[in-house]
Amino acid sequence: MTPVPKTQYGFVYNTTSGLQLNESLPIPTLKPGQLLLKVEAAGLCHSDLHILYEGLYCGDNYVMGHEIAGTVIKTEQDEAGAYKIGDRVACFGANGCGNCEFCRKGNDNDCPNAFYNWFGLGSDGGYQQYLLVKNPRNLVKIPDNVDFAEAAAITDAALTPYHAIKLAKVNPLTNLLIIGAGGLGTNAIQIARTFGAQITVLDKKQKALDIVKKLDPELKAYTELPEDLAKGSFDVILDLVGAQQTFELSEKYVKSKGIIVPVGLGASKLTFDLSNLALREISLLGSFWGTSQDLVECLELARQGKIKPQLHTISLKELPKAIEQLRNGQYEGRTVLIP
Ligand code: NAD
Ligand code: ZN
Ligand code: ZN
């Protein structure tokens, strides 16, 4: 076994005191079947801001950071199943138990036993140096040509839009609007492209669109939708903001029989125009994170070069600065923290 220190630093979230750096967090001892990861990269998601500043509740008193990639450094000999020391792995954040009805049917993102026990959301996550993995089924090996920072971003910023795009059955005939081209959106575009969709992107920030244009100079990308764009233009709208304003825009521009997927958690409640939704038979599709099989598929798309997360890395100690930048819109793509 690789020797590990007894303590580490990490950022603990508490609903009363907020997010605080703790320089002497204990490193847990392993029980049979568990393993310890050295966290190599952890992505900063906008959901973290909703928790820190907007009252989104995801449990109390845990190390935040739910986009995690790391190296297996310690196992309880022969008990950790498929993993051995030195393996490069991505965490399946939704942390399914593996045994319940939902997990057995392949919907481990909806596992009721994992509710508020998700990595970095209710249970300890990646804003620390070492992470205890109680159930190694929730790890996926990272392909050799995908680096840790990319893998971390893929566990959510790619996985979440991938799941939503699959749920909405996006295909080459789909006229798709993606609202929000940040961490999730920049991956959503690449994923939708592999599904063959006709893509339009909307982001209020020109800098976000500059990145998008680098990904695909031909892409239709706007800070405001063109005035002459007809109502009911899109079969599917992926709302990666989830504010009342973007939801109303989605209601207006989705086709009759179309689908709105409000992935973004920008508003705690949304109101909709029932007559519009009912009379035009619009579907509202809830979509949460992604399944562990979706994560396997996303990492395979990354291995094939079809998903390349747009990101920059900074030291984990700079997390408070990165959070402020995210709050102020001074970032593009994903920020990934390196312990
Ligand atoms: P981000 O901050 O990286 O990106 C958001 C983008 O939306 C930014 O580029 C911003 O300029 C743009 N934007 C904001 N308001 C806008 C508006 N009114 N009109 C047009 N563009 C606008 O955020 P992210 O990390 O990509 O997360 C996006 C959302 O998805 C967040 O609300 C997050 O909580 C949510 N999320 C949900 C799930 C899920 O499982 N449902 C998973 C992960 C993240
Ligand atoms: Zn997230
Ligand atoms: Zn389960």
Side-chain angles (χ1 to χ4, degrees), residues 89-109:
V89 290
C91 288
F92 169 58
N95 206 11
C97 74
N99 298 316
C100 72
E101 171 194 342
F102 289 88
C103 287
R104 288 195 186 280
K105 285 183 177 161
N107 301 317
D108 49 4
N109 58 325

Side-chain angles (χ1 to χ4, degrees), residues 267-301:
S268 54
K269 282 195 176 155
L270 294 171
T271 56
F272 54 80
D273 177 347
L274 184 55
S275 63
N276 185 23
L277 247 67
L279 271 56
R280 298 206 296 122
E281 298 198 326
I282 294 162
S283 296
L284 277 184
L285 199 58
S287 185
F288 177 59
W289 220 328
T291 69
S292 58
Q293 177 58 27
D294 291 334
L295 179 55
V296 171
E297 293 169 17
C298 282
L299 287 164
E300 171 57 19
L301 289 176

Side-chain angles (χ1 to χ4, degrees), residues 45-47 50 156 160 179-184 203-205 208 240-241 245-246 263-266 287-289 326 331 334:
C45 176
H46 209 114
S47 298
H50 297 322
D156 177 25
T160 297
I179 306 177
L184 269 61
D203 195 297
K204 64 179 183 182
K205 204 167 67 176
L240 303 177
V241 177
Q245 184 241 337
T246 54
V263 174
L265 303 170
S287 185
F288 177 59
W289 220 328
L326 184 59
Y331 67 96
R334 208 31 138 212

Side-chain angles (χ1 to χ4, degrees), residues 12-211:
V12 179
Y13 173 69
N14 181 288
T15 46
T16 43
S17 48
L19 187 69
Q20 286 184 335
L21 174 64
N22 184 329
E23 299 270 8
S24 54
L25 285 174
I27 295 177
T29 46
L30 300 185
K31 293 189 179 139
Q34 301 182 339
L35 55 77
L36 194 67
L37 284 192
K38 177 176 180 293
V39 178
E40 306 281 3
L44 173 63
C45 176
H46 209 114
S47 298
D48 290 342
L49 289 198
H50 297 322
I51 292 168
L52 292 172
Y53 303 107
E54 291 153 33
L56 176 67
Y57 181 79
C58 277
D60 200 358
N61 216 19
Y62 56 91
V63 175
M64 278 186 118
H66 58 270
E67 299 188 340
I68 311 160
T71 307
V72 176
I73 56 158
K74 203 171 162 186
T75 65
E76 272 300 305
Q77 245 97 4
D78 302 328
E79 298 269 9
Y83 299 97
K84 60 180 191 313
I85 290 166
D87 280 347
R88 303 167 71 247
V89 290
C91 288
F92 169 58
N95 206 11
C97 74
N99 298 316
C100 72
E101 171 194 342
F102 289 88
C103 287
R104 288 195 186 280
K105 285 183 177 161
N107 301 317
D108 49 4
N109 58 325
D110 293 324
C111 174
N113 298 323
F115 216 78
Y116 296 151
N117 192 21
W118 305 304
F119 282 113
L121 296 165
S123 197
D124 286 345
Y127 297 156
Q128 59 181 345
Q129 294 168 284
Y130 299 94
L131 173 68
L132 172 70
V133 178
K134 293 181 182 160
N135 190 348
R137 85 171 281 284
N138 292 308
L139 297 173
V140 176
K141 284 186 186 158
I142 302 171
D144 291 344
N145 64 344
V146 176
D147 69 31
F148 284 116
E150 290 168 342
I154 283 168
T155 64
D156 177 25
L159 176 61
T160 297
Y162 183 78
H163 184 69
I165 283 167
K166 267 173 81 174
L167 276 187
K169 299 188 169 59
V170 169
N171 64 68
L173 298 175
T174 307
N175 207 2
L176 173 72
L177 174 64
I178 296 172
I179 306 177
L184 269 61
T186 43
N187 291 301
I189 292 163
Q190 301 175 61
I191 294 161
R193 201 164 49 184
T194 70
F195 280 69
Q198 303 152 57
I199 307 167
T200 301
V201 177
L202 175 69
D203 195 297
K204 64 179 183 182
K205 204 167 67 176
Q206 182 56 47
K207 274 194 170 174
L209 298 183
D210 294 343
I211 289 224

